Each structure stands twice: as C-alpha cells, then as structure tokens.
Amino acid sequence: MMEIITGALIVGLGYMFGSLTFSIWITKYLKNVDVRDSGSKHATTTNTIRQAGFFAGSIVLVLDILKGFIPTYLAITFGPDWSIPLTATFAVIGHCWPIFAEFRGGMGLATAGGALIAIMPISFLVALAVLIVLTLVIKHSARAAMVFGFLLPFILYILNGTPNKIYLGIGMGVVLIFRFYSDYNRKYRELWLDRDVEDGKV
C-alpha cells in the first residue's frame, strides 16, 4: 500500500512540476505581457526569446528541462519502478496542459529532455541529435517533433533501455505527437526560432 501511495504522490508531483509555467511568469515579469498572446501562441522557450530576449529564453529553457529532470529523478530514487515512466509522462503533460495556466502551456520537448537526462543522459544527446536531423530534413518543426515522438521509444530500445525506459518513451512520445499535431499545418520561416510568416510577419 505504501508503495502505491508513494508512487501516486510522485506521479502527481510530476504533473505539478510540469505545470510550473516559467515562460509565462518570466515574460509577464519582464515585459508585462502573456507569452501566449502573440508569436506561436505557446508558452515555449522560442516564444519567450521572441518576446523577452535570449537571456530570458535561456532561463526558461533550463527551468523547463529541470521540470522533467527533478520529478523523474525523484521517481528513480524513491518511487516504485512503475512510477518512473508515469512521472516523466505526467511532467510533460503538465508542461503542455498546466493546471496553473488554464491548461494552455508549452509543447513539452524541453521537459521531455529533462526526463531523458534523468533516466539515461546519453539518451538525451542521441534524441537531440535525431530531432535536429529530422527538423533539417523535414523542414517543419511540428512535423519533425511528431516523427521524433514516434521514434522515441525505439531510440531508447536501441540504447539498451529497460522496459521502464521504453514505456517512458512511449508515454512521452504519444504526448508529443498529440501536442504538436495542433501545429501540423503551421507555416515557419525560421528553423530554430519558429516564427510565423502569415501576413508577412517575421
């Protein structure tokens, strides 16, 4: 019974960590605007850079990675095995649909990266390389991220991942595919800054 309670608490903690909307709070503090009101309309690092600058965006990136790393590390250290993939997945869910921000958050990649660092640091580097290659080849960030979400469990399997790591890849991958589908037909001009070109906007 204690194992179930501990695991459930850690999984819940994963969602709460994910729901910490640093991009919204930091942009609001620095510029007195809601980061979701312009640009990509998402609470992301790139949208923070667009509205508050690279320094603010860098802080958001680090904090968003920590949102995935900390609860996943806690699950690995203190929780039952089954809590590890669930905690990581719920951290990404929290980032995408945060309870503290009307369930309108980011896209989940940075938080997923933090979870990967916690379970297997090399998996983060390999996954990042795969995502970059996919984005360069497909030339569309959202579609590349969806393919990445599909490939994530296979990446972890190839890296000699345990079943729990593979389940983690499946859970986070499904969330990423679902989240990025909303931007499937979105137009991009800049590969990394993810800016719209509709109506001539840069």
Side-chain angles (χ1 to χ4, degrees):
M1 179 60 71
M2 280 304 299
E3 176 181 297
I4 294 175
I5 294 174
T6 300
L9 287 174
I10 293 176
V11 172
L13 188 65
Y15 177 76
M16 298 304 286
F17 262 85
S19 290
L20 300 173
T21 50
F22 295 112
S23 59
I24 296 174
W25 298 336
I26 289 174
T27 306
K28 183 71 172 179
Y29 176 77
L30 292 176
K31 298 294 182 178
N32 197 32
V33 297
D34 189 326
V35 70
R36 301 166 298 177
D37 287 343
S38 60
S40 67
K41 309 293 186 180
H42 303 310
T44 62
T45 294
T46 52
N47 217 21
T48 302
I49 291 173
R50 205 174 295 129
Q51 298 183 48
F54 279 97
F55 180 71
S58 299
I59 294 174
V60 168
L61 176 61
V62 171
L63 292 173
D64 282 351
I65 289 173
L66 287 174
K67 291 195 308 187
F69 175 84
I70 293 174
T72 304
Y73 180 80
L74 291 175
I76 294 169
T77 306
F78 302 108
D81 285 346
W82 56 264
S83 71
I84 298 171
L86 285 175
T87 299
T89 300
F90 271 86
V92 178
I93 291 173
H95 178 80
C96 297
W97 299 282
I99 193 172
F100 303 128
E102 301 87 36
F103 302 101
R104 292 177 54 217
M107 306 305 284
L109 281 174
T111 302
L116 291 177
I117 293 172
I119 63 157
M120 193 193 315
I122 192 172
S123 68
F124 170 78
L125 298 175
V126 173
L128 179 61
V130 170
L131 180 61
I132 291 173
V133 170
L134 287 171
T135 307
L136 289 171
V137 171
I138 298 174
K139 298 181 180 179
H140 192 282
S141 298
R143 295 172 192 174
M146 291 177 67
V147 175
F148 170 77
F150 174 77
L151 292 177
L152 185 55
F154 297 100
I155 293 171
L156 295 175
Y157 174 78
I158 292 170
L159 293 173
N160 296 316
T162 62
N164 260 343
K165 293 184 177 72
I166 297 170
Y167 297 148
L168 177 147
I170 293 172
M172 295 198 307
V174 169
V175 175
L176 293 175
I177 291 170
F178 185 81
R179 185 67 180 99
F180 275 93
Y181 182 74
S182 64
D183 279 9
Y184 185 84
N185 291 317
R186 186 169 166 236
K187 296 180 180 180
Y188 297 98
R189 179 180 181 186
E190 298 186 20
L191 186 61
W192 304 118
L193 287 186
D194 211 25
R195 297 187 178 181
D196 284 355
V197 292
E198 296 176 2
D199 303 322
K201 294 179 181 178
V202 190

